[in-house]
Structures are given as structure tokens and as C-alpha cells.
Amino acid sequence: MGNLLRLITGESKEDSQQIFLDFENARPTPEEQEVWEVVNTVLENSSKVLDELKNYRGASDEIRQAISNSRDDALQEVAWQQVLPLVAKLKHFYEFSMELETIVPQLLHALCVSGTSADQRLTNKQALAKQFAEVLHFTLKFDDLKLTNPNIQNDFSYYRRTLSRKRIANEDSGVSAADDQAQVTTEMANRMSLFYAYPTPMLKTLSDATSKFVSENKNLPIENTTDMLSTLCTLCRVMVENEEIAQKFENEETKLFVLSVMVGVVILYDHVHPVGAFTKVSAIDMRATIRVLKDQPQGTVDGLFNALRYTTKHLSDDTTPKQIKMLLA
């Protein structure tokens, strides 16, 4: 993606600073190594999760046939056997979300708990900043794929209904065949149901983990977290705005990566900051952020626009300028 990003801050060139982030080649320093290895163990499976979700076809035809022919035991069994391995995949996705939930606080602690400024923390811990960006990118990519695949909720709902019927039918006979075939426990099924009920479940997980991090670290000024997020957002925006930097992108996917990180940071900031990302006093320049998205080829960032519209917390507040609301209408 090119080597370094230069961001000018300050009121004049004389008091400006230079911030350099290398999202592509950053390697962990000894100080970062321990956290980096823990996070890397999780992130190295993210591509596989996305591939599985991208190729998730569902069992809509088999389920439709089973529902339309409710007395045909053969069709019921065909649908059941088709759904079982799909539920195993859905369980895998959910378990991966729980793994993300455990590493996000570790990244935030490393990037936010320090007496130095946000730009210094990002500069000194570039490998962890890169991993945090990868978490954001994965999150929005996963949710965009999930949002456009209605088979997921349909398959899981059919699985739960059928399993319940099988258990009721076997209660009197004492047969445990239904439980033997169950892919998930009742408790996990309930949690998975709540997870997949959200249009953007990974983003909900990430937002909750970030909010929890702030609430549980009461001795940490909230500005440490919000400043890190707003600084990272500005860095991403400038990377796309600045033609000299943008020309160094190796391909269009790199630009989309940076844009998705930018949007992900906005959403987290909006959930964590008391007044959100859209007010006039926000440290994030939302007009400039939205303008960058609107400058992209039509259709390439629809998922990112939808994420801003539907997963932020304060967009509909009275304090949000009407111009911002109109830009996202």
C-alpha cells in the first residue's frame, strides 16, 4: 500500500507533526510482541471465516420442500441432514466472534493506556495498529456478507424448530437421538440466535467490547480511547484523499481496506464517545469522511454507507447537523 503515511497536524507548519503508519509491512517491536502473537493467532483464521461465509449457500430449497410437505418424513430428513453441517459453520462463525471479543480489549489497552498522545501511541505501536485495522476490516466485511445472505437466519431458525420437535417427539420414548445430532447446546443456540438477529453482528460484538473496555477501565480517561480512534480515522481519510499517497496503493482492494477501517473507527467512536461522532464538537470531521466515501465509484462502498446509517448510535440525535443527515440519507 506504499510505505508511509504523512499526516500534518497542528495549526501551522511550524508546530506540525509527522505521523507514519505502515499498514502493510509493520512488524511488532519487542514491546508489542506478546499482544501481537495473541491477536495474530485469532486473525490468521479470519480469511477462512470470510471464505466460508462467502460460499455459504444455505438450504432454502430443501427447507421449502420440507415445509410444503410436512408429512413427508423423507423430505424432512433431507432438509435436516442438509442443515446440520450449515449450523456447524454458523457455530464456527459465532465462536470466532467470541475470540475477537477477547482480543479487542488487549489491543485497546496497548493502544490507549499510556501517558503519550494518540499519534505517538499509533506511531510507536504500528504492528498493533495494523492488527486493530485488520479487525475493523474483517468486521465490516463479515457483516456486509451476512447482511446480504438471508439463508443464515432461515437455516438456523429451521434447525431450532426441527430440533425442538424432535426432542418433544422423543420425550415419551426416552430416545436421545435429537440431542445426539444437536450441533449446539440450548444455551449456545440462544446466544447464537441473538447474535444473528443483529443485521451487523460482528460490529455489535466489536462495539460492545469497546464500550465495555471503556466502562471497566474507569481510571483511564475516555479521551485516550476516543483520541486514538479519531486520529486513526483521520489517518485513513488522508490516505485516500491525498493523491500522492493514494497512487501508492497496489490495487483497489487496498483503498477499500482503508475506507472500511475509517468507517469502522467512526462507528466505534460514535458508540464510545458520550455525544458521538456526528456533533459539531466531534474530533472526527464527518463531512470530510462522508465526502471521501461519496467520491468512490458508484456501488463500491454501499455497505460502508449502510454501516454508517444503521449501526451508529447518534446519527438520529438532534445534535447531528442536518447537512450530515442529508449526506447519509
Side-chain angles (χ1 to χ4, degrees):
M1 128 180 355
N3 292 328
L4 300 173
L5 167 64
R6 178 174 182 266
L7 173 67
I8 301 299
T9 61
E11 297 180 356
S12 66
K13 292 183 178 179
E14 286 72 21
D15 61 5
S16 66
Q17 300 176 7
Q18 291 184 344
I19 302 175
F20 298 101
L21 284 184
D22 186 350
F23 278 146
E24 189 172 63
N25 302 305
R27 299 299 301 169
T29 62
E31 183 184 3
E32 299 172 276
Q33 190 69 40
E34 183 177 353
V35 174
W36 185 91
E37 288 180 356
V38 172
V39 175
N40 186 62
T41 300
V42 175
L43 285 180
E44 63 184 5
N45 294 319
S46 61
S47 295
K48 182 180 179 181
V49 170
L50 289 178
D51 286 341
E52 288 183 357
L53 180 56
K54 190 180 300 182
N55 295 317
Y56 188 99
R57 296 293 176 261
S60 57
D61 292 340
E62 291 83 358
I63 291 173
R64 191 180 304 111
Q65 286 293 322
I67 293 175
S68 300
N69 302 274
S70 58
R71 296 186 178 182
D72 190 323
D73 292 340
L75 289 176
Q76 307 308 310
E77 186 62 20
V78 168
W80 176 249
Q81 293 301 326
Q82 187 70 23
V83 163
L84 285 177
L86 295 174
V87 171
K89 287 185 178 182
L90 296 180
K91 178 185 176 185
H92 178 216
F93 300 158
Y94 174 69
E95 289 174 336
F96 189 78
S97 78
M98 292 191 292
E99 292 184 56
L100 281 184
E101 193 174 15
T102 63
I103 64 172
V104 167
Q106 297 181 63
L107 282 170
L108 290 173
H109 189 275
L111 293 172
C112 300
V113 180
S114 172
T116 58
S117 63
D119 51 9
Q120 289 175 315
R121 295 196 300 272
L122 289 169
T123 301
N124 295 336
K125 298 180 179 179
Q126 293 196 27
L128 297 183
K130 176 177 179 287
Q131 286 184 321
F132 187 62
E134 289 171 346
V135 169
L136 289 166
H137 177 66
F138 164 83
T139 297
L140 293 186
K141 190 76 173 177
F142 180 96
D143 286 347
D144 190 43
L145 290 170
K146 184 266 179 186
L147 196 62
T148 56
N149 195 334
N151 289 325
I152 290 174
Q153 284 180 276
N154 187 45
D155 293 345
F156 194 63
S157 295
Y158 178 81
Y159 166 79
R160 296 190 73 190
R161 292 196 306 269
T162 303
L163 185 63
S164 178
R165 285 198 302 268
K166 284 177 174 288
R167 284 172 173 162
I168 292 173
N170 291 327
E171 277 182 356
D172 294 336
S173 62
V175 178
S176 61
D179 289 326
D180 290 341
Q181 295 181 66
Q183 294 292 323
V184 296
T185 63
T186 300
E187 181 184 358
M188 177 169 281
N190 291 335
R191 286 187 275 123
M192 286 174 62
S193 183
L194 290 174
F195 175 77
Y196 286 112
Y198 284 98
T200 52
M202 285 291 179
L203 196 52
K204 177 68 165 56
T205 298
L206 189 57
S207 297
D208 286 350
T210 304
S211 298
K212 185 177 179 181
F213 168 80
V214 172
S215 64
E216 289 185 348
N217 291 272
K218 298 186 183 300
N219 295 328
L220 176 70
I222 191 173
E223 290 78 14
N224 280 38
T225 303
T226 55
D227 287 353
M228 186 277 290
L229 295 174
S230 62
T231 301
L232 183 56
C233 179
T234 303
L235 288 169
C236 291
R237 174 171 58 78
V238 172
M239 290 180 79
V240 179
E241 277 183 335
N242 188 301
E243 293 185 6
E244 182 180 349
I245 297 170
Q247 288 176 355
K248 296 180 180 180
F249 292 166
E250 295 180 1
N251 50 57
E252 193 66 20
E253 288 185 2
T254 300
K255 181 187 288 187
L256 290 176
F257 172 86
V258 176
L259 289 170
S260 69
V261 173
M262 178 185 73
V263 169
V265 170
V266 169
I267 295 168
L268 288 186
Y269 183 98
D270 193 54
H271 278 263
V272 173
H273 197 281
V275 297
F278 298 98
T279 67
K280 293 180 179 179
V281 298
S282 171
I284 293 178
D285 188 339
M286 285 306 306
R287 286 185 178 85
T289 299
I290 296 170
R291 185 175 62 245
V292 167
L293 291 175
K294 285 187 172 292
D295 287 342
Q296 304 312 308
Q298 187 174 3
T300 59
V301 292
D302 289 350
L304 299 182
F305 270 117
N306 287 334
L308 286 176
R309 292 182 184 114
Y310 305 124
T311 64
T312 47
K313 185 177 181 180
H314 295 281
L315 177 60
S316 60
D317 289 359
D318 293 337
T319 54
T320 300
K322 291 183 179 179
Q323 184 181 4
I324 298 296
K325 293 181 179 180
M326 290 177 62
L327 287 172
L328 288 174

